[in-house]
């Protein structure tokens, strides 16, 4: 794979050409304290327009005429530095930046270069440092990356306490979530109330919601790219926290000082352990419980100046057990993700950097229930094994080229339902396990055409092939099988492919003001089909097959971006329109059965449009942002709602978020969050009547009604005691209140019956279920 790309780069080098008077400076940008690489750092020549940005691994390259230069190195989370370098030959130099001290009483919001909001050709990109994420108040004090991104314009949550999120009218499966290059298929714990990402193990996170670069694919709406910490290269470090429902512990440090390091982090809830002493053995619920845990680990080693190896892994599980001894009933529901990636960085030359990744991920869900001699089991999941190679090529100061190729083998278990009663076995009606091979190749060029005009031009080609073993059945009008075709192992059943052009542009009116636009086409071959409004572990991941076609979208955006006060304030206004084809839903009246679930799907179109407004203060004693989104999201299926268009269940007309952080003193930090959103769309019964002695209900059109609006105010106060001389332990207390004024936001609505038909006093009343009233919490965090 690597050798196939080398001739291409040799050709590029000869095409761009360099005279002997031009030389290349390259190297890495690193944290001066931990030695970790820093991405998104601006390396700019003072007094000139030449500049470059460090890539995801901290690597940079810039080619200039021979001479003496002053390089201004800046990143919003670090103190800026200036280096004077004589460039008269090909050279390598590593820059170091010092983190901003907490003692400066300055709150830093974003993990990126200072002027990226205006100068970058990428629109719809949000970069968050883990330090800022930890300052946002969270339910039960549990730091949550996904809930923080849900506070951004254009991103909305799936409901109270849920980690599923919707970006610009797309569904929760249309977001590509990556953890060190490995896909995370189910990002939620506790049926979505908490995310699977432990903040102590995370370095930074980036959300791209528009103009997706060509290096990403397979999803329609957005990319959430999360990077784990690499581990301190110079000294051992320990940190953790103890909260009301969970505790965390992390360790990192050098294996060989300055050469290799490790990081390991764990988290577990202990609700089960706290409640167990209070449940007597005579109780009918003795033996019931719930807990989840996470384990993150990472290792890296520098073999030379040109080669570096990273090994990352994540393992998380939710375990729910319910027992009712009086009814001889018990159930067990384990589910979770496991991911692993091996990445090799190699520098071929001063202008060519590569990364090759081998990825394995596995998501499994299982439901087991037993009542006396009757047993049922439901299993689903997906397993991937893939390899990809990415190349960064820096021909000159005006071009940054990125290209790559990937191959992934998928194994799907969409739905396996089985059961038994005594000697009678219930088995699936046919084969549910499916296999597929996904391939892609891409090329993109970040081109600084003039001092004011910048383009990002990209093209991606992808192919998805369903493979055997597989049996394709022919059925009659009643669904009875009348014929079949058997495909052997690795034989092609059907193949889909297509090009995905990506284009974005930026015009700079001034150093503080720019216009950006983008248009992109995306193809999605893997689908999450849900029969509810939230991302639950019972939702099914299914591949594109001869029955299920890929989803396709076109997204167009344009916006104005303006910075003020030396890039201290960032503002933007963005407009977008998205068209989505081959959207998937269950047919009306669907109920789970033993048959292949894809026979129950229906297909239609979706579209969304809106405007996003954003004001962000990135540094100072007070920081935070205000985001507002005005949007419409529609769906239209020939076989649903009589073929009429209807608002998607995640359509939200108004969505507002206010986040503020204030440094009160060296010891105290204040954080507040206020959110407001239009209520979720839902379908309700409009009439109740009796037919043959049975109470029957007649429903409205799909999503014709709205729940009450959602709003909430959260507050947190962080106390960090003064450090004592000679004492290594550093600690802080975080006091938070979720839903300060105890707003009872609707979770779902049900109809309660009082009286009876026989007594002619039947009364039916709609009632609202709410999850979280005011919830205070306290967490103690420590660091050694």
């Amino acid at each position: 794979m690597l050798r196939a790309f080398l001739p291409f780069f040799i050709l590029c080098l000869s095409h761009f050409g360099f005279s002997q008077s031009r030389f290349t400076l390259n190297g890495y940008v690193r944290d001066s304290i931990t030695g970790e690489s820093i991405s998104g750092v601006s390396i700019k020549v003072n007094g000139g327009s030449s500049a470059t940005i460090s890539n995801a691994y901290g690597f940079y390259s810039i080619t200039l005429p021979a001479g003496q230069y002053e390089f201004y190195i800046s990143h919003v989370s670090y103190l800026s530095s200036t280096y004077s370098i004589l460039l008269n030959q090909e050279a390598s130099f590593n820059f170091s930046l010092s983190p901003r001290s907490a003692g400066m009483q300055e709150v830093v919001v974003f993990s990126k270069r200072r002027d990226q909001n205006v100068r970058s050709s990428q629109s719809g990109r949000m970069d968050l440092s883990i330090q800022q994420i930890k300052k946002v108040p969270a339910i039960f004090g549990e730091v949550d990356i996904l809930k923080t991104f849900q506070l951004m314009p254009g991103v909305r949550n799936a409901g109270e306490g849920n980690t599923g999120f919707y970006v610009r009218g797309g569904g929760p499966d249309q977001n590509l979530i990556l953890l060190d290059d490995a896909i995370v298929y189910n990002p939620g714990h506790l049926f979505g109330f908490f995310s699977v990402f432990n903040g102590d193990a995370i370095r930074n996170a980036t959300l791209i919601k528009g103009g997706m670069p060509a290096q990403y694919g397979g999803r329609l709406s957005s990319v959430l790219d999360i990077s784990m910490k690499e581990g301190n290269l110079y000294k051992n470090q320990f940190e953790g926290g103890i909260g009301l429902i969970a505790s965390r512990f992390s360790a990192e440090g050098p294996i060989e000082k300055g050469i290799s390091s490790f990081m390991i982090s764990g988290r577990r809830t202990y609700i089960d352990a706290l409640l167990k002493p209070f449940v007597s053995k005579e109780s009918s619920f003795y033996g019931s419980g719930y807990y989840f845990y996470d384990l993150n680990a990472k290792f890296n080693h520098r073999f030379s100046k040109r080669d570096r190896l990273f090994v990352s892994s994540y393992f998380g599980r939710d375990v729910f057990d319910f027992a009712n001894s009086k009814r001889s009933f018990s159930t067990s529901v384990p589910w979770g993700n496991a991911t692993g990636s091996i990445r090799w960085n190699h520098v071929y030359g001063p202008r060519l950097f590569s990364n090759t990744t081998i990825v394995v991920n596995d998501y499994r869900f299982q439901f087991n229930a037993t009542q006396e001699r009757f047993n049922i089991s439901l299993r689903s999941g997906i397993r991937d094994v893939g390899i990809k190679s990415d190349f960064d090529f820096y021909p000159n100061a005006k071009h940054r080229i990125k290209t790559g190729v990937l191959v992934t083998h998928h194994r799907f278990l969409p739905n396996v339902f089985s059961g038994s009663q005594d000697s009678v076995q219930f088995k699936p009606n046919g084969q549910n396990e499916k296999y597929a091979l996904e391939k892609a190749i891409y090329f993109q060029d970040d081109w600084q055409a003039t001092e004011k005009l910048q383009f990002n031009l990209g093209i991606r080609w992808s192919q998805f092939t369903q493979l055997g073993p597989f049996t394709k059945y022919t059925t009659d009008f009643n669904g009875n099988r009348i014929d079949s075709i058997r495909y052997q192992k690795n034989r092609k059943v059907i193949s889909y492919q297509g090009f995905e052009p990506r284009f974005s542009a930026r015009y700079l009116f001034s150093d503080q003001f720019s216009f950006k636009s983008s248009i992109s086409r995306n193809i999605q071959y893997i689908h999450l089909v849900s029969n509810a409004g939230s991302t639950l572990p019972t939702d099914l991941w299914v591949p594109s097959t001869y029955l299920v076609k890929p989803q396709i979208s076109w997204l167009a955006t344009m916006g104005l971006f303006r910075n003020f006060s030396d890039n201290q304030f960032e503002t933007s206004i963005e407009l977008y329109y998205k068209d989505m084809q081959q959207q998937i839903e269950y047919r009306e009246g669907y109920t789970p059965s033993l048959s292949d679930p894809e026979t129950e799907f229906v297909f239609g179109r979706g579209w969304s449009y809106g405007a996003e407004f954003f004001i962000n203060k990135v540094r100072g004693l007070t920081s935070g942002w205000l985001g507002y989104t005005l949007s419409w999201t529609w769906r239209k299926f020939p076989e649903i709602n009589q073929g009429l268009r209807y608002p998607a269940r995640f359509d939200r007309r108004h969505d507002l978020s206010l986040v503020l952080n204030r440094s009160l003193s060296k010891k105290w930090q204040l954080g507040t969050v206020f959110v407001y959103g239009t209520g979720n769309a839902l379908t309700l019964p409009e009439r109740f009547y009796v037919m043959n002695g049975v109470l029957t209900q007649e429903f409205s059109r799909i999503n014709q009604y709205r729940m009450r609006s959602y709003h909430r105010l959260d507050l947190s106060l962080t106390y960090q005691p003064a450090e004592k001389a000679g004492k290594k332990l550093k600690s802080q207390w975080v006091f938070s209140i979720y839903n300060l004024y105890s707003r009872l936001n609707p979770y779902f609505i049900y109809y309660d019956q009082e009286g009876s038909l026989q007594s002619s006093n039947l009364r039916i009343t709609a009632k609202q279920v709410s999850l979280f009233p005011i919830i205070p919490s306290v967490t103690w965090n420590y660091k050694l």
Side-chain angles (χ1 to χ4, degrees), residues 1-2 57 178-183 308-314 338-345 354-362 384-390 405-409:
M1 185 181 294
L2 293 175
Y57 300 93
L178 300 172
L179 179 64
D180 274 4
D181 277 342
I183 296 176
R308 190 175 186 183
L309 181 72
F310 297 88
V311 180
S312 308
S313 65
Y314 165 81
T339 71
S341 61
I342 300 174
R343 294 179 290 174
W344 169 48
N345 292 175
S354 76
N355 175 68
T356 300
T357 305
I358 298 175
V359 175
V360 177
N361 50 40
D362 187 20
D384 296 342
V385 179
I387 182 171
K388 71 171 187 170
S389 291
D390 302 287
V405 61
L406 68 87
V407 178
T408 303
H409 183 272

Side-chain angles (χ1 to χ4, degrees), residues 515-734:
F515 169 80
K516 300 180 187 181
S517 64
S518 70
I519 185 168
S520 58
R521 183 179 194 255
N522 289 61
I523 304 176
Q524 179 167 331
Y525 300 103
I526 300 174
H527 324 282
L528 180 69
V529 186
S530 172
N531 202 30
S534 59
T535 306
L536 299 177
T538 50
D539 297 341
L540 302 177
W541 285 97
V542 298
S544 295
T545 65
Y546 74 100
L547 290 178
V548 182
K549 292 181 172 60
Q551 301 178 62
I552 300 173
S553 76
W554 282 96
L555 171 66
T557 71
M558 64 174 63
L560 296 172
F561 298 78
R562 181 75 162 89
N563 285 7
F564 299 91
S565 303
D566 190 28
N567 299 310
Q568 187 175 14
F569 290 89
E570 299 178 344
T571 64
S572 65
I573 300 174
E574 285 191 82
L575 306 177
Y576 71 89
Y577 181 87
K578 181 190 292 183
D579 183 78
M580 296 166 282
Q581 303 292 333
Q582 295 298 327
Q583 300 301 284
I584 305 175
E585 294 280 0
Y586 284 108
R587 62 172 174 81
E588 287 190 84
Y590 164 76
T591 54
S593 67
L594 295 176
S595 63
D596 191 330
E598 69 178 33
T599 62
E600 305 290 342
F601 300 159
V602 293
F603 306 93
R605 175 181 171 239
W607 65 99
S608 63
Y609 47 91
E612 300 167 1
F613 303 85
F614 191 51
I615 302 173
N616 176 33
K617 188 172 185 291
V618 299
R619 62 184 189 274
L621 295 179
T622 301
S623 69
W625 66 86
L626 173 65
Y628 170 72
T629 304
L630 174 67
S631 63
W632 289 261
T633 302
W634 300 97
R635 293 290 187 266
K636 188 176 183 180
F637 286 71
E639 300 177 61
I640 295 180
N641 203 45
Q642 300 177 350
L644 302 174
R645 76 169 188 177
Y646 59 91
R649 58 176 169 266
F650 38 86
D651 172 60
R652 180 175 286 181
R653 194 72 62 249
H654 305 283
D655 191 90
L656 182 142
S657 299
L658 175 65
V659 179
L660 290 175
N661 292 301
R662 172 71 180 179
S663 180
L664 303 175
S665 68
K666 290 185 178 181
K667 294 183 179 181
W668 290 96
Q669 297 275 347
L670 175 68
T672 59
V673 169
F674 175 76
V675 295
Y676 172 86
T678 302
N680 287 344
L682 77 163
T683 307
L684 293 175
E686 292 183 319
R687 298 177 183 85
F688 293 87
Y689 52 90
V690 178
M691 180 178 291
N692 298 325
V694 178
L695 182 66
T696 306
Q697 51 191 356
E698 181 179 316
F699 282 87
S700 68
R701 293 193 305 270
I702 291 181
N703 295 338
Q704 183 178 345
Y705 293 97
R706 294 273 179 179
M707 291 186 181
R708 291 195 304 161
S709 60
Y710 180 98
H711 52 88
R712 189 188 79 239
L713 177 66
D714 305 332
L715 181 71
S716 71
L717 198 60
T718 302
Y719 171 69
Q720 186 161 337
E723 298 179 16
K724 296 182 180 179
K727 191 175 181 180
K728 293 184 177 180
L729 178 66
K730 301 176 183 179
S731 66
Q732 65 174 204
W733 290 89
V734 181

Side-chain angles (χ1 to χ4, degrees), residues 73-232:
I73 317 301
S74 64
H75 189 287
V76 76
S77 294
Y78 291 81
L79 298 174
S80 301
S81 296
T82 301
Y83 290 81
S84 182
I85 297 176
L86 174 62
L87 189 61
N88 57 9
Q89 61 180 352
E90 304 284 73
S92 179
F93 189 87
N94 296 329
F95 297 115
S96 293
L97 292 180
S98 300
R100 292 179 179 271
S101 170
M104 295 174 65
Q105 291 182 243
E106 182 175 52
V107 179
V108 176
V109 178
F110 287 115
S111 171
K112 63 181 180 184
R113 54 183 287 194
R114 286 177 179 267
D115 56 357
Q116 179 174 292
N117 179 60
V118 171
R119 288 190 169 271
S120 171
S121 61
Q122 175 71 59
S123 62
R125 177 182 175 123
M126 301 288 181
D127 300 85
L128 285 178
S129 66
I130 193 62
Q131 290 82 6
Q132 173 59 17
I133 294 171
K134 288 184 175 182
K135 288 182 171 65
V136 176
I139 186 169
F140 295 114
E142 286 298 303
V143 173
D144 199 312
I145 292 175
L146 297 186
K147 286 187 173 61
T148 304
F149 276 112
Q150 290 171 5
L151 300 172
M152 297 295 180
V155 184
R156 62 145 300 183
N157 59 32
E160 178 80 85
N162 203 299
T163 57
F165 61 101
Y166 304 92
V167 178
R168 291 179 168 174
D173 66 318
Q174 295 174 0
N175 305 305
L176 178 64
I177 302 176
L178 300 172
L179 179 64
D180 274 4
D181 277 342
I183 296 176
V184 178
Y185 284 101
N186 184 35
H189 282 307
L190 190 57
F191 296 95
F193 292 133
F194 303 103
S195 80
V196 300
F197 304 110
N198 178 0
D200 290 347
I202 303 304
R203 182 178 60 176
N204 53 47
T206 297
L207 177 71
I208 301 173
K209 58 182 180 177
M212 191 183 298
Q215 70 192 82
Y216 299 110
R219 299 294 187 273
L220 299 189
S221 292
S222 74
V223 177
L224 178 58
D225 198 343
I226 300 173
S227 299
M228 291 167 54
K229 290 180 179 178
E230 296 175 1
N232 196 311

Side-chain angles (χ1 to χ4, degrees), residues 361-530:
N361 50 40
D362 187 20
Y363 167 67
R364 297 182 182 182
F365 168 80
Q366 188 168 350
F367 173 86
N368 303 302
T370 301
Q371 185 165 21
E372 296 181 345
R373 297 188 301 274
F374 181 72
N375 302 283
I376 59 170
S377 176
L378 174 66
R379 294 182 293 121
S380 65
I382 179 171
R383 179 184 297 169
D384 296 342
V385 179
I387 182 171
K388 71 171 187 170
S389 291
D390 302 287
F391 296 86
D392 293 346
F393 177 48
Y394 305 81
N396 56 47
K398 292 188 175 182
H399 292 270
R400 290 193 299 272
I401 294 174
K402 192 174 184 68
T403 187
V405 61
L406 68 87
V407 178
T408 303
H409 183 272
H410 302 283
R411 173 183 175 269
F412 297 87
L413 198 65
N415 195 5
V416 175
F417 182 81
S418 59
S420 66
Q421 185 170 13
D422 297 326
S423 60
V424 179
Q425 299 288 324
F426 307 94
K427 293 185 178 181
N429 184 18
Q431 179 177 300
N432 290 74
E433 198 166 292
K434 296 181 176 69
Y435 301 88
L437 189 68
E438 186 172 2
K439 303 174 186 176
I441 184 171
Y442 73 89
F443 176 89
Q444 68 184 40
D445 182 9
D446 199 2
W447 174 31
Q448 184 74 46
T450 68
E451 188 173 341
K452 293 183 176 295
L453 190 59
Q454 184 176 354
F455 298 101
N456 190 293
L457 309 171
I459 186 71
R460 181 184 181 92
W461 175 84
S462 59
Q463 181 187 65
F464 189 89
T465 304
Q466 183 186 359
L467 300 175
F470 180 74
T471 302
K472 181 179 177 181
Y473 294 99
T474 303
T475 60
D476 60 18
F477 182 77
N478 295 318
N480 301 312
R481 294 172 179 173
I482 57 177
D483 200 0
S484 65
I485 301 175
R486 177 66 178 174
Y487 295 87
Q488 299 302 316
K489 184 177 181 180
N490 293 327
R491 183 184 170 188
K492 183 178 78 171
V493 179
I494 193 170
S495 183
Y496 299 97
Q497 61 184 4
F499 286 97
E500 303 172 54
R502 315 285 173 82
F503 170 83
S504 60
R506 179 227 69 199
Y507 182 79
L508 205 61
F509 296 109
S510 69
D511 288 341
Q512 303 287 312
F513 186 32
S514 68
F515 169 80
K516 300 180 187 181
S517 64
S518 70
I519 185 168
S520 58
R521 183 179 194 255
N522 289 61
I523 304 176
Q524 179 167 331
Y525 300 103
I526 300 174
H527 324 282
L528 180 69
V529 186
S530 172

